[in-house]
């Protein structure tokens, strides 16, 4: 992540990492399939980048399965 931020972000800018949990998302994958689930995650990332209003927004997804949380 440091490498990506160093390459893409100008020096002196503040960075923010946002982590979110989509409640009951497994139900989306189980009901509609993983391609639809991936599209939902991508759409959420686009909305977050729009809200952040930053051209340097770097959306990505990290899936945690069998999380103890």
């Amino acid at each position: 992540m440091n490498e990506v931020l160093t390459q893409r972000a100008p020096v002196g800018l503040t960075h923010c990492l946002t982590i979110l949990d989509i409640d009951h998302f497994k139900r989306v994958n189980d009901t509609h399939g993983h391609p639809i689930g991936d599209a939902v995650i991508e759409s959420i990332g686009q909305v977050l980048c729009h809200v952040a209003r930053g051209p340097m927004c770097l959306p990505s997804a990290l899936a945690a399965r069998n999380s103890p949380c």
Side-chain angles (χ1 to χ4, degrees), residues 14-52:
T14 302
H15 296 90
C16 174
L17 172 66
T18 303
I19 299 173
L20 61 105
D21 178 25
I22 306 168
D23 287 337
H24 310 290
F25 186 75
K26 183 179 182 315
R27 189 177 306 159
V28 173
N29 281 336
D30 290 347
T31 303
H32 304 287
H34 288 273
I36 298 297
D38 291 347
V40 169
I41 291 173
E42 184 175 334
S43 295
I44 291 170
Q46 290 172 355
V47 169
L48 292 173
C49 282
H50 177 73
V51 170

